[in-house]
Every structure is written in C-alpha cells, then in structure tokens.
Amino acid sequence: MQERSDEQLMAAVQVGDQVALAELVTRHHGPLLGYLYRLVGGDRQLSEDLVQETLLRVLRQGTYQPARPFKPWLYTIATNLARDHFKSAAVRQGWRGGDEEKTLLHLYDSTPGPEERALAAEQDSEVRTAIAQLREEYRIVVVLRFYQGFSLQEIAETLHIPLGTVKSRLSVGVHRLRAMLAPVQEGVD
C-alpha cells in the first residue's frame, strides 16, 4: 500500500477522517516543533504551545485548498502564530541554551558522529546567538532553509513573498551570519 501524501491526508481530514489527522500530526509534529523552537529562541514550552495551536488551526480551518501544497500552508500557520505571539505580548527574548535544546536537537535533527558533535557543541552557542540577532525576516528564511530543509519555492509559498525576495533575504541572512561568526572562527583557528 502506497503512503498517502500530505495533501491526500488533509483532504481526508476535511471530511472528518481522524486517522488521517493522526498521521499528519505524527508526520509533522517533530519537524514543526524543531522549527518553532529555533524560531522562538529556544523556549520549549512556547514552541510546544505553538505546535498545538498550529495543529488545532489545521483541524479548524476550512481555508486549505487541496491543490495547494500542504507543507508550506502548515508552516505559514506556524510562522504567523509565532509572529502574533511576539507582537501581542511585545516579548523580546534572547536565546537560551541548556539540556532542553540538546534533547530537541538530538530528537529532531540528524545526529552527526561523536567528533562532529564535539566540534559543533563548541560553536552551538555562538551560532544560536548569531541567528537570534538576525532580523525576523532573515531569521525565518534561514531557519526554514537550513533547519527545515525547505526549497526556495516552498519558503516563498509559506511566507507569501516572491521567490526573488526569498533569495535576497537568504543571501543577506547568510552574509550577516558569516560576518557575525567570522570573529569566532578566527579565534578557533
């Protein structure tokens, strides 16, 4: 039996198929949690709350169109909820580290070998801090591209912006990250 696509599952959810909903949740909960966790600066409770709200909106919303790709639509909802949280609460928080982040990274990211993990751990805090310092429009594009593996077209669809804007924001974001991390790299060599 062939696995159903996200779009097929969502069409089934719209007619009340709870099994299809469970499959969508199982398929997307982990990656969505990892994305929101990075987007909101490492606040695990907030990212879990946003995942739950995103999934509730998926269930409640009648705006999904079966011809539309599901994944960009899902991440649009999640991104907008995160933005709304920070706008409504007027919250500005820095990145926090700790055991929770290591647990999430272990669960939701591909695990490198021990040597790679040791080297990455040395730079983890600096990278996290640098990403947090990016303006929101650059941070979202960088996280979607490099942490979630979205294509440039999927990012454009998710954020409802032109492909050229995605490319520009990604270029600027990566350039700014490199500039922020260059002093760190020079200190390591």
Side-chain angles (χ1 to χ4, degrees), residues 59-80:
L59 184 59
R60 286 189 217 138
Q61 286 199 13
T63 61
Y64 178 74
Q65 300 158 353
R68 184 175 182 191
F70 175 79
K71 192 174 173 182
W73 179 74
L74 174 69
Y75 279 76
T76 297
I77 294 170
T79 301
N80 288 338

Side-chain angles (χ1 to χ4, degrees), residues 31-47:
L32 194 59
L33 181 62
Y35 167 67
L36 287 166
Y37 183 78
R38 288 179 185 93
L39 198 62
V40 301
D43 184 330
R44 183 176 181 165
Q45 186 59 52
L46 176 57
S47 54

Side-chain angles (χ1 to χ4, degrees), residues 95 126-136 139 176-177 180:
W95 288 77
E126 291 85 3
V127 172
R128 192 173 50 243
T129 300
I131 290 173
Q133 290 174 3
L134 289 175
R135 286 189 10 206
E136 178 184 306
R139 184 175 61 244
R176 290 184 180 175
L177 281 175
M180 285 186 268

